[in-house]
Amino acid sequence: MGLTSVKVLVSAVALAVVLFLATVWLWPRLARRGWRPVAGRVGLLLVTQVVLFAAVGLAANRSFLFYGSWADLLGQEQEMGVVVDHGAGSKDVRVVGTRALDVPGGGRPSVGGQIQQVVVAGERSGIVSPAYVYLPPEYFQARYAKRTFPASVVLTGYPGTAENLLKGLNYPKAAYLRAKEGRMQPMVLVMLRPTVAPPRDTECVDVPGGPQTETFFAEDLPKAVSGTYRVGTKARNWGFMGNSTGGYCALKIALHHPDRFAAGAGFSAYYRAAEDVTTGDLFHGDDALRRRGDLLWSLDHGRQGNTSFLVTSSKRGESNLKGTRQFIRKVKSPAQVSSIVLESGGHNFNTWNRELSPGLVWMGGKLSAE
């Protein structure tokens, strides 16, 4: 049973209730003096508390999807070790599975679109990462057979998994519904985690002597996707969006690569690369590289291209409000900036779900299919 499954949660809650009742029932028998009754009382209280906290933790994790699997919780990344051989005629994107959307007629790609589980191999970076690609219904319809589509990279936060973008936020269904309502154009979504060198959080940086994460996202990923799907190759065809660490990465890549991405949207993003035990030494003493990882510094000292940005925060509950306001003030023409500022909302999936649909509509309006 998976970490986020209902069966696991119900089992934990049921066990907690049984242990609570057993404690109440057995307490009179354990009220006597002696080491055995004392040990029994301590044991019952301890086990009941542990199971109760486990049930609460499972419920919170199922709501906010901090961890997507037991392996993710225990730090055992199951997706490492994927080997892709590159021989004559091989592709940088390998499809390893498909799934349908939970919408009426979703079993038919021309009606509900399709989610493809893929493995992307970076030509320049050497990074290999799993991902999901959402193809809208129009992609499979005859009248669109010769049309290219805009695409957006979508990143979750750290240490989340790409599954969070399907379960906790459900980007494909949101994109499907907004397009069906006529509020946005059909768009391909390339969904993955920013942790392409697990378990390390590389903050989308080209680490000296280490993972070339920025190169993977800025160069390898768009090239691989455009070479496999009917997606344009120009900057106007590509956007980048994400939440938390993924939001920082989206803004960073769009800011530093306006020749490849026309728009970047950061939900609850921060604006300076984190440096802690999860990242290790990202910059190896290179102050120029560290400053480049500070988006507010980059806006002041770098060239701003013809890029559109969307940033989000909340007046109560978010720690990035001050940085978000600074980011907005520092964006100068020809770049453009928009924002979503909620009255209240925390750094969680509930908040991001409130920003996702307007964010997708905004992104669809910034990109071109041709």
Side-chain angles (χ1 to χ4, degrees):
M1 292 186 290
L3 178 63
T4 60
S5 72
V6 176
K7 290 182 180 179
V8 169
L9 177 58
V10 171
S11 298
V13 171
L15 182 57
V17 172
V18 169
L19 286 170
F20 174 77
L21 295 176
T23 301
V24 174
W25 179 260
L26 295 173
W27 198 260
R29 302 182 186 181
L30 299 173
R32 298 187 300 271
R33 295 179 181 276
W35 70 269
R36 289 184 178 178
V38 170
R41 294 197 298 269
V42 171
L44 273 176
L45 288 174
L46 181 61
V47 172
T48 302
Q49 290 293 322
V50 168
V51 174
L52 179 61
F53 279 117
V56 172
L58 287 167
N61 185 69
R62 193 168 187 274
S63 175
F64 300 116
L65 285 178
F66 299 117
Y67 299 96
S69 65
W70 293 108
D72 192 22
L73 174 65
L74 299 174
Q76 300 171 343
E77 175 51 53
Q78 298 296 324
E79 293 170 330
M80 290 183 66
V82 176
V83 177
V84 178
D85 296 323
H86 295 274
S90 66
K91 290 185 176 182
D92 293 329
V93 176
R94 180 163 59 92
V95 179
V96 296
T98 61
R99 63 175 71 178
L101 268 70
D102 182 20
V103 298
R108 297 170 54 195
S110 61
V111 176
Q114 187 179 76
I115 301 170
Q116 296 188 350
Q117 185 176 3
V118 304
V119 176
V120 182
E123 181 180 351
R124 290 193 58 189
S125 66
I127 289 173
V128 177
S129 177
Y132 292 97
V133 176
Y134 164 67
L135 302 172
E138 292 80 2
Y139 191 91
F140 301 96
Q141 296 172 5
R143 59 177 174 157
Y144 293 97
K146 296 183 179 180
R147 176 181 171 178
T148 59
F149 289 80
S152 181
V153 178
V154 184
L155 296 187
T156 187
Y158 178 87
T161 66
E163 285 281 340
N164 293 353
L165 301 170
L166 305 181
K167 295 180 179 179
L169 295 174
N170 206 339
Y171 269 90
K173 189 171 184 178
Y176 167 88
L177 291 175
R178 300 299 84 78
K180 189 175 180 63
E181 295 165 355
R183 297 176 58 193
M184 63 174 281
Q185 62 179 318
M187 183 165 60
V188 172
L189 301 178
V190 185
M191 299 165 286
L192 63 170
R193 64 192 299 189
T195 317
V196 292
R200 187 178 187 182
D201 174 14
T202 58
E203 296 288 298
C204 294
V205 168
D206 277 351
V207 181
Q212 302 297 287
T213 315
E214 182 171 347
T215 296
F216 175 79
F217 283 121
E219 300 183 27
D220 291 341
L221 185 59
K223 180 180 178 181
V225 171
S226 295
T228 305
Y229 301 99
R230 298 197 311 277
V231 172
T233 59
K234 305 297 184 182
R236 63 178 179 268
N237 308 132
W238 280 90
F240 211 127
M241 58 199 311
N243 59 273
S244 191
T245 299
Y248 165 77
C249 288
L251 298 175
K252 176 187 188 313
I253 299 296
L255 174 61
H256 292 312
H257 300 274
D259 56 327
R260 290 185 173 86
F261 294 91
F267 303 136
S268 299
Y270 48 87
Y271 302 97
R272 183 177 182 179
E275 294 182 76
D276 53 33
V277 294
T278 67
T279 66
D281 188 357
L282 290 178
F283 305 111
H284 292 259
D286 189 332
D287 290 336
L289 189 59
R290 177 176 283 105
R291 288 193 297 268
R292 189 172 182 274
D294 185 335
L295 305 188
L296 301 181
W297 186 93
S298 294
L299 286 172
D300 282 338
H301 297 88
R303 181 181 65 86
Q304 298 188 29
N306 187 22
T307 308
S308 297
F309 300 101
L310 173 66
V311 290
T312 79
S313 187
S314 302
K315 294 179 181 178
R316 296 188 305 276
E318 285 274 33
S319 62
N320 75 332
L321 180 59
K322 180 180 178 181
T324 297
R325 287 171 172 167
Q326 290 177 316
F327 187 95
I328 293 170
R329 288 196 301 268
K330 291 176 182 292
V331 173
K332 300 293 187 293
S333 181
Q336 300 177 351
V337 63
S338 304
S339 68
I340 298 173
V341 179
L342 303 175
E343 287 298 319
S344 64
H347 196 81
N348 55 52
F349 280 74
N350 289 339
T351 297
W352 300 327
N353 269 310
R354 296 161 63 193
E355 300 164 342
L356 189 156
S357 285
L360 279 170
V361 172
W362 176 88
M363 181 63 74
K366 298 298 180 181
L367 305 183
S368 170
E370 301 299 334

